[in-house]
Structures are given as structure tokens and as C-alpha cells.
Amino acid sequence: MHSLAAPSHPLPSSTRRQLPSSSSSSSSRSFPRAATIKSHLPSQNHKHEKPTSLIHSLSKPLALASASAATLLIRVTPIPTLLSGGGGDSFGGIGGFSGGGGGGGSGGGDGSSGNFWEKLFSPAPAIADDNNQTQEWDSHGLPANIVVQLNKLSGFKKYKLSEILFFDRRRWTTVGAEDSFFEMVSLRPGGIYTKTQLQKELETLATCGMFEKVDMEGKTNPDGTLGLTISFTESTWQSADRFRCINVGLMAQSKPIEMDPDMTDKEKLEYYKNQEKDYKRRIERAKPCLLPVQVNREVLQMLREQGKVSARLLQKIRDRVQKWYHDEGYACAQVVNFGNLNTKEVVCEVVEGDITQLVIQFQDKLGNVVEGNTQLPVVRRELPRPLRPGNVFNIEAGKQALRNINSLSLFSNIEVNPRPDEKNEGGIIVEIKLKELDQKSAEVSTEWSIVPGQGGRPTLASFQPGGTVSFEHRNLKGLNRSILGSLTTSNFFNPQDDLSFKLEYVHPYLDGVYNPRNQTLRASCFNSRKLSPVFTGGPGVDEVPPIWVDRAGVKANITENFTRQSKFTYGLVMEEITTRDESSHISSKGQRVLPSGGISPDGPPTTLSGTGVDRMAFLQANITRDNTKFVNGAIVGERNVFQVDQGLGIGSKFPFFNRHQLMITRFLQLKQVEEGAGKPPPPVLVLHGHYGGCVGDLPSYDAFTLGGPYSVRGYNMGEIGAARNILELGAEIRIPVRNTHVYAFAEHGNDLGSSKDVKGNPTEVYRRMGHGSSYGVGAKLGLVRAEYAVDHNSGTGAVFFRFGERY
């Protein structure tokens, strides 16, 4: 055991002590495992890898003494700390937080693939043969029920202990297992020990500083086992009325200078004075610790209530101080020493875990260190400041780093490992280990549809294969630049009918990778087709022939991220818009079904030019302020979105317009709950408002529509109306039930009398009301919303199944 024996010569009013912490060993130091934060991409076929490196004890015993101030030394065994989290991006976010880069993981962090958190530190092993209780042991060979001194035992036998008792001489009573002194004993009932091991344990207890006197004796049992009694007198020091906490993590550890027994009294006095000066200088050089004023006051109150400072009191102070550090995420912090014990001030020395170095490593699929393609500044800029050298390691900073790196979507596996710095005692080296995704990837997803053949029956030729072909070349030049492309059609045999594509180039760090400003350029060309909700019938109206809107063009924008969720985007869009009927012919006007069953082509105009084809260029800007967060899986906070499109007068009929909309959503937590894994989420009240307006030229395909799963529920898309100006109001209350939630909602949409200002007034032509309300109830079933909604305009209700969230 790394222990410090008391000096062989007496010190006037001063001794140097060592106090083992909980579960300490008397024969070997403990080697706790490194804290590891991991992230794995579910799509990768590799196994979860546990860290194999062991970290040495985060601190070693300090050897300090002063002439008038006793010093109690603590041999540190870090407290086991269990963490859980999810993260793909959310702490699957956090893989160990699980969730790798390149696509996120499950959880948040933090997913079932996200419960990969490991114990940060393992408890110290007992010295005894606790792991060998199945070994043979020897009977004591003595008469039963007699007391045997330790030195009377045989050195050739292995004794089995039936029980261990602590007897307090000062209180003249046997203390229970809940007493803090039991933490210091590595012996265990049922364990098998030799005489040498028992003597070593006694020596450890005698020199730890907790006891003025300690003895060990055995009592023989008829079955050949021994009952062990440890009798002690607890150490005490004079009362104190001041408390100071200092960080000694990176300070050189003082080594006591042995006093020559032949010193004269004058030389001894000088020796004591020098020791005292050295310790005072050490206190002055030490950094103040992070312990808040509130905890300092609690410790002072403990000192006042106790009177004399005792070993038990110091254990309580140590536990309270370490509890605060670990509760706040400072997983490497440990109390290593108490000084000035024979003065009015107790000094608590803490190794907080100062970060001395940050190391980033790239690994191949086998875990070998390789030279990565990603440039290091790309990773470094994602690291939070608390994780950089000069700060104290905090597990929350590690989680944040994992989430940030994971959001780059460049890595299949991410590990954040704190380990002790061998060159700077008390320091922490943070290792970040990364496995990169393949730079190039391609994916094909297919779907089959069946269309009626002759006579209404499907034939082999009526099976239509459709799907999407996508590819990505990521991390160009190691700077996270990428090229992405996709091609989608519902019929690969005849793709010209509805072929849509998108090709995009993404260029992050527009101001340079070393510039803290986070701007990303995106440039794309596209072709898409969507069904227009403007040409939709109202209640009781027969089905309206659909109008499809094709858009083809180019788009370039710059996005500046203020926080992980808040951003500002601005750019230029140039596109050609073509409206088509269900036969894919260009349609300049909407169609409607006549009472006779025929179709009239004299509906509202579909384009601004009146030809069925528009060309235009406009500026687009969007600003999002989002401070929502998850509380046990429930979203709380607020989100505001403002978007504006400004026509430039370029294109068909020289369109000049300003289209704007504002969305405000509040997620109000109705009850305070304890946060943590497995804890129930709070009930939440959601309030939502959406205003949209347009000034200037407005083609019908860009009119605001009311009704649908993301507008006013209970209606079909656009069933309420199409207008220049709209107002939507909604409220929803969410009540947690087991692993999901049920909710009730009420919503209203209004065109503010502006439907008539849309060319051709499609709202009136298709007999829509222009306003409508709904209410209903629902339940969240995984990713699906099952809802029953009542439509006020028709007075009927219906069941809907939708994907995703309404707000």
C-alpha cells in the first residue's frame, strides 16, 4: 500500500496523517477506468468497443506538515460514477452517448443504443482473498470462544473471518455497519486471510491518522472460523471556525524532509517553523476551488455544530465536498488532503481535474491510429470552451463535444476519454478518438406500384418500379464540404413523367475554418413536382381535378448559425414554375366538375402569366430563434420563425412582391419534475400562432392555404381556403402516459377576408368557407399521431393517422 507512516519522532502539536477513502485497499492502489464517452452509428457493422486503458489514481498522497498545523492525508480512491445518456445527436446523442456521426443515432444525445455509458471509476479492490472465497481455509485449531491476540495466530494458516466488529473505546459501544469507519476496512466477513494480511491491515489503520489508538483481536468460533474485533480511539483536533478549499491539482507534491533525531531543540524549532512556512506558501500559491459559497456555509455549520474536529467529521466534509463536484459533473475531482487541523482554519485540498492537454486521434475500423482525412481545425472548432486546456474537466462538456462532433456527420464512432497526465500530476489529458465514414456513398431505395390495366385488372406490365437513387461525396479536402445528389421517379420505365432531381454543393466555414463565425454556403439545382392545395374543393364539393406544380431552377443561400438551433439564412432563388393537369399537360387554368359530370376548364388562373408557365427570381430570408430543449423527452421552451420572400421584378410579368410569415410557438411546462433517465416527462401546454401575408403580385400557387395536418387539423389540405393573408391559432395540452403522451387540441384558421384578392378567387370557386375551426384528441404512437378531430364547418369528426409533430 502507498501509505505514509507517522514520523518516528514526536512533533509538538502536529502530526501528519493519512486517511483512506471509501473502499480503499491496504495492499494496492486502485486503478479506476477512464471515463469514456462513445458514439456509434447504428448503420455501421462494428461492435461497441470498451476502453482498454486503465487510468492511474487521479491523485497521490500528499506529504505535508507544519509546525503548528496538523495535516491529514487522504489516499484517494475515486468514487464510482455511473452516467447515462443518449446522443446520436442527442447525447444517440450522446453515444455513450450513442449515435454516431454521419446520420445521428437514437436517443439524444445521450437511445437504447445510447445507454453505452461506462462507470467512470471502479471501486478499489479489497486486499483480502475476497475473490478466492472458494479457496480452502484452515481451522484455527484452538478452543472455542476464547480471545486471541493477533501475534498469537499462526503464520502458516489461512483464517476465515465469520464477522468483523468495530468497538469505539471512547463511546464504549460497538458501532454499526453504517458508520463511516467501516469504509476504511478492506477486510470482509467470509474472506480468507493470512496473519500477514491481518497485520498489514492493522498497520494501515494505525498509520492512517483516523485513530489515536487501534487494536485488533480475534475470537474463536466452534466451526473453526474467527470473529474479528477492531477496537479504536478516534483522533480529534481542536475546534475550528474557518474553512478553506483550494485546488492543488497541478502543484508539485511536497515531500516531507525527515528530521534528524540528533537535532538540538533550537534546530527542531527551526525545522518546525520552516515546515509551517512551506505549507503557508503552498496555500497561497494554490488556486481557489470551484466550491460555491453555499457548500462552504454548510461545512462551516458542520464545524460549529461538532465542536472539536474529529476524523468522522472530516469524512463527512470530504463526502459533502466530493458530492457537490460529482453532482455538477466534475467527475475527476477528489479531496486529497486536509491541512491546518490544529488551527482555527481547516484547509481542504482538492484535485479538481485540470485539463492539461487535448489529443485528437483518428482510427481505422480496427482501432489502429491513422492519419485522418478531416483537418483538425474542423474538429477543434466544435469543442466547447470548458473542454480546452486550462479548464476543469466536466462530463457535461464531454457530452456537448460529442453532440457537436456528431452533428458534423463525418464519423461513425466518437470517443471522448479523460485520462491522467503522467507528466503533470493531478492533470487530465482529454483524448478524442474518431473513426471516419467513407467519403463516397450511394444508395438506392425502390418501391413498386400497381396501376389498373385493361378491364380494370392489373397485368404484369402494370407493375411500375419507382424509387430514389442518391449519392454523396462528403468531406472534400477534409473541410466538411460535400456534393449530394438524388433522383426520384415513380416509374423508372417512363421517368420523364414525374422525374425530380436535386444536386447540391455544401461549403461550410465560408469565412475560413479558423474564423469563429459559422457561415455555410449551399448551392443547388432542382426539379420537383407537388400537388397544389390551392385547387381543392370545400365541404360537399365533388372531387376537383388536381393541379400539379413543377418547379425547376437554381438556389444559393448562406446560413449563419448563432446557436445549435438558432440561425439566419438568406439567398437568391431563380426558378421556372409549370402547372400541369393530371395528364401532365400544361394547364393555365384550374378545372372544375360541372353538375352534368363534365369538366370545365374556365377555373381560376394557375400562373401569374396566364400561360401555365412562370419564370421569376426573388430573394429569400429566414431567421429562426429556437431555445427549446427536452425535459425527460418532452419539448419545452419557445420557437420563433420569420420568413420573407422579396420579388425582384425579374421574370414573367415582372413579378414584384413581398411575401412574409411569422410563426410563434410556446411550449409551457406545467409542472416541475426531476430530470433524469427513466423519470416521467412533465405535462406541457403548447400555444401556437401563424400569420402570413403578401403585398404585390401573387400567383395562385404561392397563395397561403388553410387546412391540413400542419395547418388546421380535421380538414384536408387547403380545404378551408387560399388567401393573401391568413391567421392560424392553436392550443394543445400534452399529458404523459407511460412511455408516450395523449393530448387534446383546438385550432382555428382565418383568411382575414383576403381570399377574394387571389386571382380568380379559388376559395369561392371551389366553395370553401375561408375560415374554420376544429378540436380533438390524440395519442402519440411512436412516430405516428393517431387523432380524432371534429371539423366545425361540416360538424363531422374523423380519425387521422399522421407522421411527425404538428408543432
Side-chain angles (χ1 to χ4, degrees):
M1 165 176 177
H2 295 272
S3 61
L4 295 175
S8 58
H9 49 276
L11 297 179
S13 74
S14 174
T15 56
R16 178 159 44 82
R17 311 282 189 182
Q18 181 184 15
L19 171 66
S21 66
S22 61
S23 305
S24 63
S25 164
S26 60
S27 67
S28 63
R29 291 187 71 92
S30 64
F31 291 87
R33 287 179 292 177
T36 303
I37 302 170
K38 292 189 176 181
S39 177
H40 300 284
L41 180 65
S43 63
Q44 300 299 312
N45 295 323
H46 59 269
K47 296 181 179 179
H48 173 71
E49 300 173 0
K50 293 185 179 180
T52 56
S53 61
L54 299 175
I55 72 173
H56 295 86
S57 179
L58 292 176
S59 57
K60 296 181 180 179
L62 304 182
L64 304 175
S66 66
S68 61
T71 301
L72 185 67
L73 299 175
I74 299 175
R75 183 174 60 77
V76 173
T77 302
I79 294 177
T81 305
L82 284 174
L83 298 177
S84 63
D89 178 11
S90 110
F91 252 230
I94 244 170
F97 308 115
S98 165
S106 60
D110 298 352
S112 65
S113 302
N115 291 330
F116 287 117
W117 277 103
E118 310 248 353
K119 289 185 179 181
L120 286 182
F121 306 104
S122 60
I127 64 159
D129 300 327
D130 292 356
N131 297 324
N132 301 314
Q133 295 185 22
T134 57
Q135 281 189 349
E136 294 183 359
W137 52 280
D138 304 307
S139 172
H140 51 68
L142 299 171
N145 299 318
I146 65 170
V147 176
V148 182
Q149 297 299 321
L150 194 57
N151 58 357
K152 299 296 184 182
L153 297 178
S154 170
F156 301 100
K157 290 187 176 183
K158 294 181 178 180
Y159 296 94
K160 184 173 183 179
L161 301 184
S162 60
E163 63 176 350
I164 299 174
L165 301 176
F166 255 83
F167 182 76
D168 190 337
R169 286 198 184 100
R170 185 163 286 154
R171 300 178 182 177
W172 206 250
T173 183
T174 300
V175 300
E178 71 281 355
D179 194 282
S180 58
F181 284 154
F182 267 89
E183 299 176 359
M184 307 181 334
V185 181
S186 63
L187 307 177
R188 296 292 179 264
I192 301 170
Y193 307 90
T194 63
K195 176 182 178 180
T196 302
Q197 289 174 322
L198 295 176
Q199 287 176 330
K200 187 72 173 178
E201 183 75 11
L202 178 60
E203 179 186 347
T204 300
L205 295 175
T207 59
C208 72
M210 294 291 288
F211 310 109
E212 291 180 6
K213 185 178 181 181
V214 61
D215 292 317
M216 187 181 292
E217 59 187 18
K219 184 179 180 181
T220 58
N221 295 320
D223 60 359
T225 62
L226 283 178
L228 192 67
T229 299
I230 301 172
S231 56
F232 65 91
T233 302
E234 181 183 3
S235 295
T236 58
W237 297 268
Q238 71 178 61
S239 60
D241 55 15
R242 296 190 305 277
F243 176 76
R244 180 190 298 189
C245 181
I246 58 176
N247 178 10
V248 298
L250 298 180
M251 298 181 65
Q253 307 300 343
S254 306
K255 295 183 179 180
I257 302 174
E258 293 296 332
M259 186 171 61
D260 188 345
D262 297 330
M263 285 184 178
T264 63
D265 290 342
K266 184 177 181 180
E267 289 173 335
K268 289 180 181 179
L269 182 60
E270 187 66 24
Y271 169 83
Y272 299 141
K273 287 182 179 180
N274 290 335
Q275 292 288 84
E276 184 175 6
K277 288 179 182 178
D278 289 344
Y279 189 61
K280 285 183 177 179
R281 281 195 295 268
R282 179 180 177 81
I283 295 177
E284 292 170 357
R285 290 196 306 268
K287 297 188 297 184
C289 67
L290 300 174
L291 207 65
V293 175
Q294 179 60 33
V295 179
N296 273 277
R297 289 174 180 168
E298 290 182 30
V299 174
L300 282 174
Q301 185 64 27
M302 294 165 63
L303 289 171
R304 293 191 186 102
E305 292 176 354
Q306 181 75 18
K308 282 190 173 183
V309 177
S310 66
R312 283 189 178 93
L313 176 60
L314 293 179
Q315 282 187 318
K316 290 180 181 178
I317 294 174
R318 175 206 65 191
D319 294 343
R320 179 66 187 95
V321 171
Q322 289 188 163
K323 181 180 185 301
W324 179 86
Y325 275 102
H326 295 164
D327 288 349
E328 295 299 315
Y330 299 103
C332 299
Q334 294 291 334
V335 175
V336 296
N337 179 42
F338 285 100
N340 279 8
L341 293 182
N342 273 338
T343 68
K344 289 293 184 179
E345 180 181 60
V346 172
V347 177
C348 177
E349 299 186 9
V350 182
V351 172
E352 293 185 325
D354 296 270
I355 300 174
T356 57
Q357 192 176 352
L358 182 68
V359 178
I360 300 174
Q361 291 182 355
F362 295 97
Q363 297 180 333
D364 60 17
K365 293 180 180 180
L366 299 178
N368 302 314
V369 178
V370 295
E371 184 176 351
N373 175 61
T374 307
Q375 295 192 24
L376 290 181
V378 172
V379 179
R380 283 203 169 96
R381 64 179 288 128
E382 299 299 327
L383 302 178
R385 291 188 179 276
L387 204 64
R388 298 177 183 176
N391 296 287
V392 176
F393 177 78
N394 189 288
I395 204 69
E396 292 301 323
K399 291 180 181 181
Q400 185 63 48
L402 186 60
R403 283 192 292 264
N404 293 354
I405 298 173
N406 184 58
S407 68
L408 295 174
S409 300
L410 297 177
F411 308 103
S412 64
N413 184 61
I414 306 168
E415 295 181 17
V416 178
N417 303 325
R419 64 175 177 84
D421 189 342
E422 302 292 344
K423 297 180 179 179
N424 296 286
E425 191 169 351
I428 295 293
I429 295 177
V430 177
E431 287 184 339
I432 299 177
K433 299 179 180 180
L434 307 169
K435 291 182 181 178
E436 294 180 298
L437 288 168
D438 293 334
Q439 280 191 270
K440 299 177 182 179
S441 63
E443 183 177 317
V444 178
S445 60
T446 59
E447 59 184 23
W448 289 82
S449 59
I450 303 175
V451 296
Q454 292 182 355
R457 296 183 179 180
T459 63
L460 183 62
S462 65
F463 285 81
Q464 292 184 353
T468 300
V469 178
S470 59
F471 69 90
E472 180 178 3
H473 190 167
R474 63 173 66 87
N475 206 13
L476 300 173
K477 296 185 178 181
L479 291 171
N480 200 19
R481 300 170 187 171
S482 58
I483 297 177
L484 307 91
S486 65
L487 193 69
T488 303
T489 181
S490 61
N491 185 3
F492 279 121
F493 293 151
N494 196 16
Q496 65 269 20
D497 284 351
D498 66 343
L499 183 68
S500 63
F501 68 86
K502 183 177 182 180
L503 181 64
E504 183 179 35
Y505 171 68
V506 182
H507 185 116
Y509 322 124
L510 199 57
D511 299 304
V513 71
Y514 293 99
N515 193 313
R517 192 176 183 186
N518 191 1
Q519 291 195 109
T520 300
L521 169 68
R522 285 181 170 84
S524 62
C525 58
F526 58 88
N527 177 36
S528 66
R529 171 175 288 191
K530 291 184 180 179
L531 185 65
S532 173
V534 173
F535 301 91
T536 301
V541 177
D542 291 334
E543 184 177 352
V544 175
I547 293 294
W548 294 87
V549 179
D550 290 354
R551 296 176 185 264
V554 295
K555 180 178 181 179
N557 61 45
I558 295 174
T559 300
E560 181 169 1
N561 294 303
F562 302 124
T563 66
R564 187 60 55 186
Q565 300 176 129
S566 299
K567 59 186 178 180
F568 175 49
T569 301
Y570 55 95
L572 173 67
V573 180
M574 294 186 293
E575 60 183 0
E576 179 183 82
I577 303 97
T578 305
T579 53
R580 300 179 183 272
D581 59 21
E582 54 188 338
S583 300
S584 292
H585 298 132
I586 295 177
S587 177
S588 61
K589 291 187 177 182
Q591 301 174 348
R592 54 196 177 97
V593 179
L594 298 175
S596 62
I599 294 179
S600 171
D602 61 346
T606 58
T607 59
L608 191 64
S609 64
T611 63
V613 178
D614 280 350
R615 296 180 179 89
M616 66 174 62
F618 59 92
L619 299 174
Q620 188 175 71
N622 175 296
I623 185 167
T624 300
R625 181 180 180 272
D626 188 344
N627 67 359
T628 57
K629 64 177 182 177
F630 285 96
V631 176
N632 299 341
I635 297 179
V636 299
E638 59 184 48
R639 182 189 302 127
N640 303 322
V641 180
F642 178 69
Q643 179 172 316
V644 60
D645 299 338
Q646 178 60 54
L648 300 176
I650 300 174
S652 306
K653 298 287 184 177
F654 306 103
F656 190 81
F657 58 86
N658 180 277
R659 186 170 58 247
H660 47 272
Q661 52 185 323
L662 173 66
M663 287 169 281
I664 299 176
T665 310
R666 297 289 182 269
F667 302 87
L668 307 176
Q669 184 174 339
L670 300 181
K671 179 183 177 183
Q672 294 298 321
V673 296
E674 182 182 356
E675 296 187 40
K679 302 295 182 181
V684 175
L685 174 64
V686 184
L687 301 177
H688 175 75
H690 176 200
Y691 169 77
C694 183
V695 178
D697 301 316
L698 177 68
S700 57
Y701 50 76
D702 278 339
F704 295 103
T705 58
L706 292 168
Y710 302 102
S711 175
V712 181
R713 285 172 279 187
Y715 298 85
N716 293 324
M717 293 282 290
E719 186 180 343
I720 296 176
R724 274 184 175 269
N725 305 296
I726 63 165
L727 178 65
E728 294 176 355
L729 299 173
E732 180 176 291
I733 185 166
R734 300 172 177 176
I735 306 298
V737 176
R738 294 188 178 181
N739 295 325
T740 183
H741 66 262
V742 297
Y743 55 91
F745 62 88
E747 295 176 331
H748 174 77
N750 199 301
D751 65 3
L752 303 178
S754 64
S755 291
K756 62 183 184 298
D757 298 325
V758 179
K759 273 193 175 185
N761 196 355
T763 299
E764 182 181 8
V765 170
Y766 298 118
R767 303 177 190 175
R768 291 176 285 187
M769 300 287 291
H771 59 81
S773 301
S774 68
Y775 64 87
V777 295
K780 191 73 184 298
L781 307 174
L783 298 177
V784 178
R785 286 185 286 129
E787 298 175 340
Y788 175 80
V790 177
D791 164 3
H792 268 209
N793 288 349
S794 63
T796 60
V799 176
F800 299 88
F801 292 91
R802 310 288 188 185
F803 284 94
E805 295 287 354
R806 165 65 176 94
Y807 304 113

